[in-house]
Amino acid sequence: MDRRLVAAAAGMAILGTAFPAWGQESKPVGLSVKAGLFWPSSSAGRNAGSTWFAGGAEFRVRDASVETKGIGPNSTITASLDYYNKGGFSNMPVLLNVVTHTSEMYYTVGAGVGFNRTPDGSGGTDSKTRFAWQAGVGYDFMQGKSPLFVEGKYFGNASSDLNGFGVFVGIHI
């Protein structure tokens, strides 16, 4: 079975488990799940395919207080796990982020490690752990019972073949 089909089915299953929670009035657990597309910025990455599958999850670690240096009062510290792949290329960045909200809009920056897989030039793949980062902007376009969002992010990596831009649709659980 095609990996993209399995990944898409898994993403839909994750999103599907969140739909029953929409009718409840409980407090969110601080988890966001998303699925979308990734466009690599390097020619080597684009040779594997101009559009890749992407998905991820982000968990709210804690709200930042006013006393936290350099972080505003409407900010949250999160941990995220994303994944994007195509051909012999894949990256799974695990990042610590700061998310700042201004009404429905939010801005995010983060840094951590990426678990990379790239072609090694001899028909195999090379797996390495490298520095990774991201910067993005999002919009919470529904509030309350339907907490959906859309976001765009640029993913950076010490392996430039895995740099690129991602667009996602997701739900806050």
Side-chain angles (χ1 to χ4, degrees):
M1 188 182 293
D2 188 353
R3 278 189 188 176
R4 289 177 286 166
L5 183 59
V6 172
M12 295 303 268
I14 291 170
L15 288 174
T17 60
F19 288 119
W22 285 5
Q24 300 173 1
E25 294 293 331
S26 62
K27 185 177 178 180
V29 297
L31 178 67
S32 300
V33 293
K34 61 189 173 195
L37 299 173
F38 175 82
W39 291 273
S41 58
S42 74
S43 59
R46 284 191 303 273
N47 287 339
S50 59
T51 306
W52 303 7
F53 166 78
E58 190 165 8
F59 184 74
R60 183 179 64 238
V61 176
R62 70 185 208 74
D63 293 330
S65 66
V66 178
E67 294 83 29
T68 306
K69 282 191 169 185
I71 300 176
N74 293 328
S75 296
T76 305
I77 297 172
T78 67
S80 64
L81 170 74
D82 292 291
Y83 179 77
Y84 49 93
N85 77 314
K86 184 77 166 200
F89 294 89
S90 69
N91 186 28
M92 187 178 354
V94 178
L95 309 173
L96 192 60
N97 310 288
V98 175
V99 181
T100 301
H101 296 269
T102 60
S103 189
E104 291 87 15
M105 294 288 296
Y106 61 91
Y107 306 91
T108 179
V109 294
V113 296
F115 298 95
N116 305 344
R117 179 167 283 166
T118 56
D120 65 4
S122 63
T125 57
D126 187 23
S127 298
K128 292 185 179 175
T129 303
R130 299 273 178 100
F131 174 74
W133 60 274
Q134 63 86 15
V137 61
Y139 185 77
D140 292 321
F141 58 89
M142 291 189 175
Q143 299 287 330
K145 294 181 182 178
S146 300
L148 302 175
F149 65 92
V150 62
E151 70 182 18
K153 287 186 175 185
Y154 186 83
F155 290 96
N157 194 289
S159 174
S160 63
D161 290 342
L162 296 170
N163 292 345
F165 185 73
V167 174
F168 302 92
V169 174
I171 185 168
H172 300 294
I173 300 173

